[in-house]
């Protein structure tokens, strides 16, 4: 355990600037999503609330199809992961990766803020139950993946600009399978949590506080 902690600290220290930039875009996205949610017009908020309540009522009245839910959640996460991986292999991929991080942050901020204001009083409890658990896994993994992707894209940018062919990233090049397997395991854990645990947690919260 101590070795793992030491390696994590060393990783953060060596790539501090990359982690700061990626985290900053994610945080700005969260703030922008929160602001957008709070700035919705009354009619838009009412329409979205009615849609969400109908969805909750249908979910409570029928058994969830976990296979379909698992597919949808997997696709949703792949829509963030695959573009980041593809962008890392382009010389101009860094801005694209950071924009994707901003969009992910915007999605989190918007959803959490909307859930918080959906019900008066205990809205934050619903937001915590529906948004936070899986993102405690997704966000750190997405940040680490984005840092590695930005490093690769920057290396390719230097190759293109400076015409240097021997630029490489040893940390990633020498351990690509290990990193890939690690990301798959972590994201899979988050997907399983969001598919099989979060819906039950949301139902418990709705029954306990809003029924």
């Amino acid at each position: 355990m101590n070795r793992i902690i030491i390696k994590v600290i060393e990783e953060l220290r060596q790539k501090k600037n990359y982690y700061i930039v990626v985290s900053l875009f994610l945080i700005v996205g969260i703030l922008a999503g929160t602001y957008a949610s709070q700035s919705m017009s009354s009619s838009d908020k009412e329409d979205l609330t009615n849609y969400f309540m109908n969805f909750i009522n249908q979910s409570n009245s029928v058994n969830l199809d976990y296979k379909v839910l698992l597919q949808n959640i997997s696709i949703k996460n792949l829509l963030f992961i695959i573009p980041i991986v593809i962008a890392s292999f382009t010389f101009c991929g860094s801005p694209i990766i950071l924009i994707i991080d901003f969009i992910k942050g915007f999605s989190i901020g918007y959803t959490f803020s909307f859930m918080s204001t959906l019900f008066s009083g205990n809205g934050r409890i619903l937001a915590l139950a529906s948004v936070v658990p899986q993102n405690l896994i997704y966000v750190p993994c997405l940040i680490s993946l984005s840092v590695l992707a930005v490093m690769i894209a920057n290396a390719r940018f230097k190759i293109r600009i400076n015409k240097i062919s021997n630029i490489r990233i040893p940390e990633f090049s020498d351990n690509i399978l290990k990193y890939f397997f690690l990301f798959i395991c972590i994201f899979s854990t988050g997907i399983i949590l969001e598919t099989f645990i979060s819906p039950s947690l949301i139902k418990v919260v709705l029954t306990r506080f809003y029924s």
Side-chain angles (χ1 to χ4, degrees):
M1 181 62 70
N2 289 335
R3 290 183 58 188
I4 295 176
I5 295 175
I6 292 173
K7 286 184 178 181
V8 170
I9 294 174
E10 184 66 18
E11 171 80 7
L12 293 174
R13 186 185 65 81
Q14 291 179 352
K15 303 178 179 69
K16 177 178 65 176
N17 292 335
Y18 286 101
Y19 278 99
I20 290 175
V21 172
V22 169
S23 299
L24 183 62
F25 271 80
L26 189 69
I27 292 170
V28 171
I30 292 174
L31 295 176
T34 301
Y35 177 80
S37 175
Q38 295 176 351
S39 300
M40 277 193 304
S41 64
S42 300
S43 59
D44 290 340
K45 186 174 293 187
E46 183 177 355
D47 291 340
L48 191 57
T49 300
N50 291 334
Y51 172 82
F52 182 76
M53 293 305 300
N54 289 333
F55 173 78
I56 290 177
N57 292 332
Q58 291 176 3
S59 299
N60 289 332
S61 61
V62 298
N63 293 326
L64 285 176
D65 188 337
Y66 286 103
K67 181 179 179 180
V68 174
L69 185 60
L70 178 62
Q71 291 174 347
N72 292 337
I73 292 174
S74 299
I75 291 172
K76 179 192 70 173
N77 283 283
L78 288 174
L79 290 176
F80 286 101
I81 298 172
I82 292 177
I84 289 176
V85 173
I86 293 175
S88 70
F89 292 101
T90 64
F91 78 97
C92 60
S94 293
I96 298 173
I97 295 165
L98 295 175
I99 290 173
I100 294 173
D101 291 328
F102 174 87
I103 294 173
K104 176 62 176 179
F106 185 94
S107 173
I108 294 173
Y110 189 94
T111 304
F112 188 89
S113 178
F114 173 74
M115 294 283 191
S116 297
T117 57
L118 182 60
F119 297 100
S120 59
N122 294 319
R124 286 189 178 87
I125 299 176
L126 178 62
L128 289 170
S130 59
V131 178
V132 172
Q134 60 269 21
N135 280 298
L136 288 176
I137 298 175
Y138 291 149
V139 170
C141 191
L142 184 68
I143 290 175
S144 298
L145 177 62
S146 297
V147 167
L148 289 172
V150 169
M151 291 176 66
I152 295 174
N154 285 350
R156 292 183 177 276
F157 180 79
K158 292 178 181 178
I159 292 172
R160 177 67 67 89
I161 297 299
N162 300 323
K163 307 298 182 180
I164 301 174
S165 59
N166 61 346
I167 295 177
R168 62 193 297 270
I169 306 172
E171 297 93 335
F172 189 79
S173 301
D174 298 339
N175 301 285
I176 184 170
L177 292 178
K178 181 180 71 174
Y179 279 112
F180 179 76
F181 180 75
L182 179 62
F183 287 130
I184 292 297
C185 289
I186 295 176
F187 268 106
S188 297
T189 302
I191 289 172
I192 291 173
L193 174 64
E194 187 175 3
T195 302
F196 298 102
I197 298 178
S198 290
S200 299
L201 185 60
I202 292 172
K203 286 184 178 181
V204 170
V205 171
L206 289 173
T207 303
R208 176 66 176 81
F209 294 100
Y210 308 106
S211 59

